Amino acid sequence: MYYNEIAGVKVSALGLGNMRLPKVEGQGEKIDREKAQEIVDYAMSHGITYFDTAYRYHGGESELFLGEAMKKYPRESYLLASKFPGHMMEKKENGMMGFTSLLAGHPDTTVDALFHEQLRKCQTDYFDFYLLHNVSEKSLVFYNDPEIGIVDYLLEQKRQGKIRHLGFSSHAVSAETIDDFLKRHEGAFEFVQIQLNYMDWKIQDAKAKVEVIARHGLKIVVMEGVRGGRLANLPAPQMEKLQAVRPADSAARWALRWLQGIPEVAVVLSGMSTLDQIVENVETFREPNPVSPAEKELLQEVAESMLSWVPCTACRYCTEGCPMELDIPRMIAAYNGLKNGDHMAGYKPDEAQPSIDPRRCIGCGSCASICPQNIRIPEILQELAQMLTK
Ligand code: SF4
Ligand code: SF4
């Protein structure tokens, strides 16, 4: 494992994301603790020091799991990062905060109570890295509200030693949103977590975001480095192009090596759901081996050949609030497959598999309002339904 630095702290170049831990079959977001512990133990014994979670990952179970999983390790032997879910909160009366979106229905709370609940769940006295979760055009109203004063509150926690380093994650549409937020709270943040990979360089304007963050002299923590698995599982024609150059390398290794070439990137998070994935990724980060200029060009070609794909990262945010309990990312994968002549991975909507039947969508739009990729989900499902009828 090689290491970088964020604000003078040595961090492993590969971090373990705890949003896609192995799950118990048929039980929603419930974590398979035995398998997940194996992944954590492998990470700890192979030099990974950065562990990332958030209030709502795995329906709130991720922080609890990590708190228990790390108990056997000395607290100073790993770096813990979690996030404040302000992107799913609203101000109420008397200093109370209510939850919205996927967290709607949770009892009202205060900023202070929620932050300390996170510390308790993680069984720790402090977070090494703490982030505002998803600063975007939609969540600015909460994060910039002077009455809530979330940034000042977190800076106070930092003074008290409960936060070592403060940052924020962002799925903002525009790089300007990140720039404006950093300017408004100048000096408050020490790092930014963004979605970055060789496809999003163009479609999510990630290049401009990297430039903005670099101008502020900050380091980057990467999320969605393989775009929710899409870049780890390329269609055959694109994969053949890569294999012609490096026959032994997987698509995931190509994507991760592309990230190694960006100097501002300090940590690449990967939500590794199997031991095989973490074994391969640890090997990829044994030492820096960034793509050459020619390889970079080849990846750009691959990205351009997939620009028409619906950019779903399979984060599954949308599925939790779907009244019809539809498996939206699976249907989008099928849509992409049908449109681009790729394999359909057993996609066959029928009575036995109602969760993948787009004809059951009632068009309520609850999924689209939460999708961090701003995908027009009901429209895609309607089109998929028409394709099936044809
Ligand atoms: S459609 Fe959007 S919210 Fe749903 S899984 Fe894909 S990226 Fe996530
Ligand atoms: S629009 Fe369709 S897919 Fe989206 S939440 Fe509503 S029923 Fe589910």
Side-chain angles (χ1 to χ4, degrees), residues 229 232 279 287 350 362:
V279 169
E287 55 192 30
D350 54 23
I362 56 170

Side-chain angles (χ1 to χ4, degrees), residues 311-318 328-329 332 370-373 375 377:
C312 174
T313 62
C315 68
R316 305 195 73 82
Y317 286 10
C318 53
I328 298 163
I332 293 181
I370 188 67
C371 175
Q373 312 299 325
I375 296 170
I377 299 167

Side-chain angles (χ1 to χ4, degrees), residues 92-388:
K92 293 219 161 166
E93 286 172 3
N94 305 325
M96 298 300 283
M97 303 292 140
F99 290 98
T100 61
S101 183
L102 295 180
L103 295 172
H106 284 228
D108 292 352
T109 186
T110 63
V111 169
D112 185 60
L114 190 139
F115 175 72
H116 284 89
E117 178 193 340
Q118 288 184 284
L119 286 172
R120 274 196 307 282
K121 282 169 78 180
C122 293
Q123 304 195 32
T124 184
D125 299 329
Y126 68 94
F127 292 110
D128 299 276
F129 297 95
Y130 193 77
L131 303 89
L132 296 176
H133 202 156
N134 193 11
V135 171
S136 71
E137 289 77 8
K138 289 180 197 162
S139 62
L140 279 180
V141 65
F142 183 90
Y143 287 134
N144 280 338
D145 187 322
E147 269 186 43
I148 299 169
I150 181 74
V151 177
D152 289 342
Y153 171 84
L154 295 177
L155 287 172
E156 177 54 29
Q157 301 314 304
K158 195 175 164 190
R159 277 188 284 277
Q160 291 181 21
K162 293 177 190 171
I163 293 172
R164 298 270 163 94
H165 301 282
L166 191 59
F168 63 88
S169 68
S170 180
H171 282 288
V173 176
S174 150
E176 266 180 32
T177 303
I178 294 177
D179 195 24
D180 291 347
F181 196 66
L182 285 168
K183 282 180 184 153
R184 185 182 179 118
H185 302 283
E186 211 175 332
F189 299 109
E190 295 166 277
F191 66 104
V192 184
Q193 181 170 319
I194 57 167
Q195 177 168 325
L196 182 59
N197 53 64
Y198 67 84
M199 269 209 85
D200 286 320
W201 196 239
K202 280 197 174 163
I203 57 178
Q204 285 243 346
D205 212 7
K207 181 174 186 283
K209 290 175 186 170
V210 169
E211 285 165 1
V212 159
I213 297 165
R215 265 207 311 279
H216 285 271
L218 303 181
K219 288 291 182 186
I220 293 172
V221 174
V222 170
M223 57 183 160
E224 302 292 7
V226 292
R227 239 190 177 281
R230 172 73 270 180
L231 302 184
N233 187 20
L234 293 175
Q238 281 83 354
M239 196 59 220
E240 278 162 21
K241 280 187 183 177
L242 300 185
Q243 278 174 336
V245 178
R246 294 175 79 99
D249 278 11
S250 67
R253 181 162 292 167
W254 274 91
L256 297 173
R257 288 181 54 237
W258 181 88
L259 288 164
Q260 291 178 351
I262 298 175
E264 292 78 14
V265 168
V267 179
V268 175
L269 293 175
S270 180
M272 297 167 274
S273 314
T274 65
L275 261 187
D276 287 350
Q277 286 170 356
I278 191 166
V279 169
E280 182 188 333
N281 288 351
V282 163
E283 178 57 26
T284 302
F285 281 84
R286 201 157 50 87
E287 55 192 30
N289 181 21
V291 291
S292 66
E295 289 174 334
K296 203 170 177 178
E297 239 174 72
L298 180 58
L299 286 176
Q300 200 52 47
E301 249 178 61
V302 166
E304 269 158 29
S305 70
M306 299 197 300
L307 282 183
S308 63
W309 290 62
V310 177
C312 174
T313 62
C315 68
R316 305 195 73 82
Y317 286 10
C318 53
T319 57
E320 290 173 36
C322 174
M324 304 307 289
E325 298 183 356
L326 292 173
D327 190 338
I328 298 163
R330 185 123 182 258
M331 288 188 286
I332 293 181
Y335 174 90
N336 279 334
L338 274 171
K339 284 280 237 195
N340 295 282
D342 192 19
H343 63 87
M344 297 290 295
Y347 179 67
K348 196 169 173 272
D350 54 23
E351 279 170 19
Q353 299 198 77
S355 69
I356 55 168
D357 189 343
R359 292 163 293 206
R360 294 183 60 246
C361 170
I362 56 170
C364 67
S366 124
C367 50
S369 65
I370 188 67
C371 175
Q373 312 299 325
N374 298 309
I375 296 170
R376 298 193 314 274
I377 299 167
E379 287 171 38
I380 302 285
L381 296 190
Q382 210 179 8
E383 212 187 311
L384 178 62
Q386 282 164 5
M387 286 154 93
L388 289 176

